Amino acid sequence: MIRAILSVGAALAAVAAPAAFAQGSAPQIRTVAAPPAQPIDPHYTAYCAKDRLSVPYDGGPVNRLTFFSDEGKPALIALCSDRYRSAAILQVEDLRSALAFMAYKPFAPFWPAAEQRWGADLGKLRADVKADAEETDGSTYSYGHMVTSKTARIIDQAHRLTDIGYFGEALALLDTREADLIRKAGDEPHYGDYGFDLAMLAITHASTLTAQHGPGAAADYLASFSETHDVGPDYAINLAINRAAYLAEAERADEALAVLLPAWQLFRGDTTAPENYQISGSDREFSWILGCAYWQQGKRDKAERYIASVDSAVEQPADPFLAKTKRSTLIRLRMHACMDDADGYFASWDQAQEPILSAAWIEFQRGATTGVVSNRKPWIENDPRAAKIGAKYRQLPESYQPALHRWAAGE
């Protein structure tokens, strides 16, 4: 799953591996004397047998990978360090990670076992994800510690259902939870303790509509929600940012700026309560939308200031209250696609270190709608630079087309 791949640094720490399971060469490692003998890691014993099918991996002490796909269990990759007799385990259990897995050419020896486990069209994986969504506890939701536990569970479930094309079910869950919270809040101003819950439910609702109908539908929903529900000025900033992003991606630049500029003033501290916390790197979200909107208006001088801010941002700002923040590469790709700027989009890849199973690689699949760009541009898959950048990824067979479109023909 993508969240596992992104957290691989922690998993590999036990075997002194690099900080990311990513494309590119491994960092240089100083030669040291062999460590004293130590007990063999149980994971190494279970998953790294010498006779087990494996593929080489140049990742410091991690020298090969194995794949397990037992029926009834999540498929997993074992990162084996023969030198240290240790291993890290990564589960692969969501649609986009599986699509990247089945496209990544070095994993070709694993494809037959993966297709047997997931189905030649990933239909079996879809059924598994749907069943697992019903059991989620919400612990993987990034803001789970900031909303009620039930809201976190509903949002996590909705995201999982959206990823596999069950849009109607996802929206129904969100609508039911929203109605429950409004009823509980009663006449409390800004819905009392549930204001942030309601804002996050609305944002999740919008992301589902984007996957189903495109960014314009998401922007219109957030406009309607904001007119109907007053969650307070601070939480409303979250709604405004997301609405403005979808407006920009729908090429409605004037509306995007009309929504975002007042929120930008609030974010910069003009009227926002000083006790409100700003997540590290949040300014990147404002900057990419402003850059895109001004670019669409033809105001290139204004746009360049914000574009440069995003292009020069550190890859992943550290925040003391979040396990991880969004990577700047994903923001850059979204910004340049929004600008219809192929040169900037592909230049963003020059400095990228995308994990092997990142959804960003799916952008290069013909006709795919499961990547990271909300309003996808045809040139992403047709430009010769895409084939060069994604040279380690094949075009998936025709049987994968429904999965690449989240089975959009129907639930």
Side-chain angles (χ1 to χ4, degrees):
M1 53 186 174
I2 291 175
R3 61 179 181 272
I5 294 303
L6 292 179
S7 63
V8 71
L12 293 182
V15 292
F21 183 29
Q23 291 277 83
S25 60
Q28 295 297 313
I29 299 175
R30 181 171 56 88
T31 301
V32 296
Q38 52 188 300
I40 299 176
D41 178 359
H43 282 158
Y44 182 83
T45 302
Y47 300 113
C48 299
K50 293 292 185 182
D51 59 350
R52 182 76 191 180
L53 177 65
S54 64
V55 298
Y57 178 68
D58 183 15
V62 175
N63 58 291
R64 59 191 176 94
L65 309 176
T66 63
F67 178 70
F68 283 74
S69 57
D70 297 338
E71 193 70 31
K73 298 179 180 179
L76 60 85
I77 298 171
L79 291 83
C80 303
S81 171
D82 292 326
R83 179 184 181 189
Y84 289 92
R85 299 188 298 175
S86 188
I89 306 302
L90 300 170
Q91 292 183 351
V92 186
E93 57 182 356
D94 73 79
L95 172 65
R96 294 192 288 184
S97 292
L99 286 167
F101 182 100
M102 295 305 301
Y104 187 59
K105 293 176 183 177
F107 285 169
F110 299 149
W111 290 343
E115 285 204 339
Q116 184 175 0
R117 176 68 185 84
W118 295 329
D121 59 353
L122 298 189
K124 291 174 66 177
L125 174 67
R126 188 189 192 207
D128 290 343
V129 172
K130 189 172 189 296
D132 290 343
E134 298 174 0
E135 303 299 325
T136 179
D137 61 3
S139 61
T140 64
Y141 176 51
S142 297
Y143 300 103
H145 61 294
M146 299 172 68
V147 298
T148 60
S149 59
K150 186 171 182 179
T151 295
R153 182 172 62 81
I154 293 296
I155 289 176
D156 194 16
Q157 190 174 358
H159 280 309
R160 295 181 191 218
L161 290 171
T162 296
D163 281 345
I164 54 174
Y166 286 100
F167 306 123
E169 290 191 22
L171 294 173
L173 286 169
L174 296 166
D175 287 342
T176 299
R177 181 58 177 162
E178 174 191 310
D180 288 345
L181 292 178
I182 290 173
R183 185 168 54 252
K184 288 181 179 180
D187 295 330
E188 286 285 329
H190 311 312
Y191 300 104
D193 293 336
Y194 300 122
F196 190 67
D197 284 53
L198 288 167
M200 294 299 102
L201 286 165
I203 288 168
T204 307
H205 190 125
S207 70
T208 298
L209 288 177
T210 302
Q212 184 180 22
H213 298 301
D220 292 341
Y221 165 77
L222 288 175
S224 176
F225 182 91
S226 298
E227 290 170 1
T228 309
H229 303 293
D230 179 8
V231 295
D234 297 311
Y235 298 152
I237 291 179
N238 296 284
L239 300 175
I241 295 170
N242 283 270
R243 181 183 167 198
Y246 292 133
L247 286 168
E249 289 177 317
E251 300 180 9
R252 293 157 61 178
D254 292 350
E255 294 176 73
L257 289 171
V259 170
L260 192 64
L261 289 175
W264 180 228
Q265 294 299 320
L266 288 170
F267 177 82
R268 291 192 301 181
D270 293 354
T271 59
T272 305
E275 66 270 14
N276 286 334
Y277 181 74
Q278 295 179 357
I279 295 169
S280 300
S282 297
D283 56 314
R284 299 172 301 166
E285 300 289 354
F286 285 97
S287 293
W288 84 257
I289 302 166
L290 290 166
C292 175
Y294 283 129
W295 186 272
Q296 289 177 6
Q297 288 184 332
K299 299 176 181 177
R300 301 299 168 85
D301 289 344
K302 276 192 171 184
E304 288 293 353
R305 168 188 169 189
Y306 298 104
I307 295 167
S309 175
V310 175
D311 283 341
S312 62
V314 297
E315 179 60 10
Q316 196 159 17
D319 186 277
F321 297 104
L322 291 180
K324 62 178 183 292
T325 58
K326 188 181 298 183
R327 286 175 294 124
S328 292
T329 292
L330 303 182
I331 297 174
R332 292 183 193 108
L333 295 177
R334 191 176 181 185
M335 176 180 70
H336 288 290
C338 177
M339 294 163 54
D340 205 15
D341 173 25
D343 290 342
Y345 176 91
F346 289 110
S348 297
W349 280 97
D350 293 341
Q351 56 182 312
Q353 287 291 321
E354 279 303 288
I356 289 170
L357 302 189
S358 168
W361 297 110
I362 304 171
E363 296 290 332
F364 301 142
Q365 294 292 322
R366 285 188 288 272
T369 58
T370 50
V372 297
V373 173
S374 297
N375 194 8
R376 198 164 178 276
K377 309 297 182 180
W379 46 256
I380 292 179
E381 63 191 64
N382 296 328
D383 195 294
R385 287 171 288 188
K388 182 178 179 181
I389 293 167
K392 289 189 176 183
Y393 293 79
R394 65 168 176 163
Q395 286 293 316
L396 288 166
E398 188 66 24
S399 63
Y400 287 85
Q401 280 299 310
L404 286 165
H405 291 85
R406 290 192 180 95
W407 292 272
E411 296 187 16

